[in-house]
Amino acid sequence: MDGAESKAQDIGLRAYVGSFASGGGRGITTAAVDPVTGGLTVLQVVDGFGDTSCLALSDDRQVLYAVGGTGEALASAFRITSDGLVPLGQPVAVDGLGPVHLSLAGDRLLIANYMSGSVSSLRIADDGRPVGYASVLDHQGRGPDPERQTGPHAHHVAPDPSGRWVLSVDLGTDSVRVCVADSAGGPLRVHTETPLRPGSGPREVAFHPRGDVAYVIHELEPQLTVCRWDADAGRLHLTGEVSLGSGDASPGTTEYPSVALVSGNGRFLWAAIRGSNLISTLSLSDGPDKPRISDAADCGGQWPRHLAAGPSDRQLYVANEWTGDVTWFDTDPESGSLHLAGRLDVPAAACVVLA
């Protein structure tokens, strides 16, 4: 039984949706998830935190973390209870500009700051609260795009499956940094840096459940880079590329991939493509290192920014920023294909997680 299903036995499975206040969003929306249909029903809205660009869950799925802010960037924590989200202490300064992603690595909360091109690290107290002052790793470098790559733009930071390393993806420098954590609580330290195609703008990395294959999705070119991951050496080795371009987008439409999500059973990979507003299904039946596009579905909205899977991957949820909604799809267990099942209004939806 996975963590989400165990949680569902306690207070019911829930979806948490972050949104951009600057775009008319309402902070964090909590919705009940129907255990049969996967449908969403709003239970609570927690407002007053500005732009809530990203959410993450503690390993025990009892604490929800949020990062954002329309002014000073802040990280917040909430205890998940039967009565809704309960704040854990006061928000803590991230010491970075434009936070767009966060994750947990042991007793640290890690935040990727797009505008300042840095990764912040905050210590997590025993009760789950982020505390103290942020330690910051500043990225260096630039790329060839004169508008999007004049400096570093950290966009994703997360631990590898072994828990020994932290990977930081930088759209501005066309690279992925493999870092180690300072045991004394200081900033991350760069171990290796893997260059990717100049001008491709890498945005996020996702791992196959097997642990030795990683996928880097690019924003400035509609492509997915496949890598072999060496956890012993802490190194990425590029092995191939897959085009994510739809080929039939309307004239003048530019496609901007946003996120890749691998199914829990490792048989499929779903990729969200903004611009053409598609969710592509990639089959991994030829092997984790040989993804191939097998299907594509309209996302049910505009500008799909984030994806989340329900228990056993029976449903896939899509946060559509521009249309302000979360759509959900039933997934075909054999092909991974998607079938639109419903939608929930959430203005300026930025991200969605389930617990």
Side-chain angles (χ1 to χ4, degrees):
M1 180 180 298
D2 65 29
E5 289 171 325
S6 175
K7 187 74 178 175
Q9 288 188 350
D10 298 331
I11 61 175
L13 185 63
R14 294 177 177 179
Y16 302 94
V17 187
S19 58
F20 292 110
S22 57
R26 301 175 298 194
I28 304 172
T29 298
T30 301
V33 182
D34 187 287
V36 177
T37 68
L40 303 181
T41 303
V42 173
L43 297 174
Q44 178 193 37
V45 176
V46 178
D47 210 341
F49 292 93
D51 287 344
T52 306
S53 56
C54 192
L55 302 171
L57 291 161
S58 61
D59 291 339
D60 63 7
R61 308 179 82 80
Q62 302 297 309
V63 179
L64 180 73
Y65 295 94
V67 70
T70 48
E72 180 184 26
L74 301 171
S76 304
F78 303 85
R79 177 70 60 185
I80 296 174
T81 76
S82 58
D83 295 323
L85 296 177
V86 178
L88 277 174
Q90 296 297 313
V92 178
V94 166
D95 198 12
L97 299 176
V100 289
H101 186 258
L102 81 163
S103 63
L104 278 78
D107 62 351
R108 292 168 178 251
L109 189 64
L110 304 173
I111 301 99
N113 304 301
Y114 181 83
M115 295 303 297
S116 54
S118 61
V119 173
S120 300
S121 174
L122 284 164
R123 186 173 67 84
I124 298 174
D126 291 341
D127 65 356
R129 293 177 299 123
V131 293
Y133 296 97
S135 298
V136 179
L137 169 67
D138 291 313
H139 287 186
Q140 304 294 329
R142 59 183 300 164
D145 190 304
E147 295 183 358
R148 299 291 306 278
Q149 295 183 313
T150 57
H153 292 299
H155 210 295
H156 187 263
V157 59
D160 83 305
S162 75
R164 296 171 54 189
W165 310 96
V166 170
L167 279 71
S168 175
V169 183
D170 196 299
L171 184 149
T173 65
D174 292 318
S175 63
V176 178
R177 291 166 174 81
V178 178
C179 303
V180 293
D182 185 336
S183 60
L188 300 176
R189 176 174 55 83
V190 177
H191 170 68
T192 60
E193 185 172 358
T194 303
L196 297 164
R197 183 194 300 278
S200 62
R203 180 180 170 97
E204 294 201 3
V205 63
F207 283 91
H208 188 271
R210 203 173 72 180
D212 61 347
V213 178
Y215 310 95
V216 180
I217 194 166
H218 298 258
E219 177 171 339
L220 302 185
E221 288 184 359
Q223 73 177 45
L224 188 79
T225 296
V226 184
C227 307
R228 178 173 63 84
W229 170 243
D230 184 344
D232 291 332
R235 292 183 180 276
L236 282 172
H237 301 275
L238 280 57
T239 62
E241 295 179 355
V242 177
S243 174
L244 296 176
S246 63
D248 57 359
S250 302
T253 298
T254 303
E255 296 182 298
Y256 300 96
S258 58
V259 61
L261 178 67
V262 185
S263 64
N265 60 18
R267 297 178 58 188
F268 317 109
L269 181 152
W270 294 291
I273 317 295
R274 296 168 299 175
S276 56
N277 299 317
L278 294 175
I279 309 299
S280 293
T281 300
L282 285 77
S283 171
L284 302 178
S285 61
D286 297 332
D289 58 340
K290 297 179 176 65
R292 55 180 174 81
I293 294 180
S294 58
D295 197 13
D298 188 287
C299 71
Q302 292 183 28
W303 215 248
R305 185 180 174 89
H306 195 243
L307 303 175
S312 302
D313 299 315
R314 293 191 300 268
Q315 281 86 29
L316 184 74
Y317 297 83
V318 184
N320 297 306
E321 181 183 351
W322 286 6
T323 45
D325 51 45
V326 174
T327 50
W328 59 92
F329 296 78
D330 294 328
T331 64
D332 186 299
E334 296 302 320
S335 68
S337 297
L338 305 175
H339 307 280
L340 183 64
R343 66 181 297 276
L344 175 72
D345 288 334
V346 183
C351 58
V352 55
V353 299
L354 272 68

